[in-house]
Amino acid sequence: MRWKPFEIPESKQVDFVEGLISICGAGDPKSRHGCASHVYVCNKSMDDKAMNNSDGDFLIVPQQGTLYITTEFGRMMVEPNEICVIQQGMRFSVAVEGPSRGYILEVYDGHFVLPGLGPIGANCLANPRDFLAPAAWYEDRTCDFTVVTKYQGKLFAGKQDHSCFDVVAWHGNYTPYKYNLDTFAAINVVSFDHADPSIFTVLTCQSTRPGVAIADFVIFPPRWSVQEHTFRPPYYHRNVMSEYTERFKWKELRANPV
């Protein structure tokens, strides 16, 4: 199944929360098991407004427009070709400078982690040193502020008389973070066979069953392939994972379009 890019509204102002569109998913946030794929389209900043996802983690992939994300931990600028993860329970607000669009992968189980490298060794794929967390930032501001909470698949709004971004400092490692996809160290087969797509995994959310993921975030970046101008079909396999494919930068897609 294939569809054209979702249109960004022009006749009305829509912020990040109002422009969320759910595409597909599996499982249920009520049972804390599964995942979902969303698209966002917006042209307005979340003024005096924040969102909190109590169902799981958001992995946000901008396709058009830079996102200026304010969290209780600090601020992040996330441009196209970068991703960010807002973990469960973190309040955040998204500001934009113009028409913006992108994708969101949501997981209800656990959190996103780096995949095991196995025989690859200590380096390559997404290296821990390239993930960035925000520096502490806060504001002490009185205003008519709205906090939207996503809980069990529904949105609830609450009012308060001050900004929720009044956290002066933090410590620990449960933070939002971002990652530049250009720093992904791709590897590939250097002989003749077809390598498993797991070599392109940036982040994964594992299930309670060893070797079975709730969701994998995989990219196919530019790379040198020894099989160019040849026909190298993959080995026979039965894929038990649904694939949701987006093209957000590179013109050539080295995977089957969905």
Side-chain angles (χ1 to χ4, degrees):
M1 183 169 57
R2 182 185 302 180
W3 55 85
K4 294 181 179 180
F6 283 72
E7 295 184 358
I8 302 173
E10 297 181 354
S11 59
K12 61 179 181 179
Q13 297 289 298
V14 177
D15 66 25
F16 179 86
V17 175
E18 297 166 340
L20 283 175
I21 305 169
S22 296
I23 304 298
C24 59
D28 187 354
K30 296 179 181 179
S31 63
R32 298 300 310 279
H33 181 71
C35 63
S37 293
H38 315 282
V39 168
Y40 70 84
V41 288
C42 60
N43 53 20
K44 174 189 174 184
S45 299
M46 293 171 60
D47 298 324
D48 296 333
K49 186 177 183 179
M51 184 179 187
N52 166 43
N53 185 5
S54 295
D55 289 337
D57 291 4
F58 272 164
L59 190 157
I60 303 174
V61 187
Q63 181 265 324
Q64 176 180 335
T66 299
L67 302 182
Y68 299 89
I69 301 178
T70 300
T71 74
E72 296 168 290
F73 300 79
R75 297 181 292 184
M76 298 186 294
M77 181 179 71
V78 186
E79 301 176 295
N81 199 49
E82 293 183 325
I83 63 171
C84 75
V85 173
I86 308 294
Q87 303 196 72
Q88 181 184 7
M90 297 179 179
R91 294 179 178 181
F92 68 98
S93 180
V94 177
V96 297
E97 295 180 330
S100 302
R101 178 174 53 215
Y103 311 96
I104 300 176
L105 173 59
E106 181 182 14
V107 292
Y108 309 135
D109 301 62
H111 301 286
F112 287 104
V113 296
L114 292 172
L117 297 183
I120 296 175
N123 303 302
C124 283
L125 306 189
N127 291 302
R129 64 176 179 268
D130 296 319
F131 288 83
L132 304 176
W137 177 91
Y138 76 98
E139 62 180 5
D140 185 7
R141 185 166 58 90
T142 300
C143 60
D144 184 15
F145 201 88
T146 301
V147 178
V148 178
T149 297
K150 181 178 179 295
Y151 179 65
Q152 295 189 355
K154 298 181 180 180
L155 299 179
F156 301 87
K159 297 284 188 178
Q160 59 188 53
D161 61 2
H162 62 281
S163 170
C164 69
F165 304 117
D166 54 1
V167 178
V168 176
W170 58 268
H171 70 92
N173 55 17
Y174 190 70
T175 70
Y177 55 88
K178 77 169 194 173
Y179 176 75
N180 188 329
L181 297 177
D182 279 339
T183 62
F184 185 82
I187 64 173
N188 204 0
V189 62
V190 292
S191 54
F192 60 87
D193 210 347
H194 184 283
D196 192 273
S198 61
I199 65 172
F200 303 109
T201 302
V202 180
L203 293 169
T204 181
C205 178
Q206 291 294 303
S207 70
T208 55
R209 294 177 58 187
V212 178
I214 296 298
D216 291 330
F217 177 69
V218 178
I219 64 172
F220 295 96
R223 62 196 185 278
W224 179 75
S225 297
V226 296
Q227 300 97 332
E228 289 179 347
H229 309 300
T230 63
F231 180 66
R232 293 289 182 182
Y235 50 83
Y236 175 77
H237 64 287
R238 290 177 175 174
N239 193 341
V240 296
M241 296 188 71
S242 300
E243 295 183 353
Y244 179 52
T245 305
E246 308 109 8
R247 186 184 307 189
F248 57 89
K249 178 183 178 183
W250 302 292
K251 293 182 180 180
E252 180 184 354
L253 182 66
R254 299 193 179 189
N256 294 326
V258 177

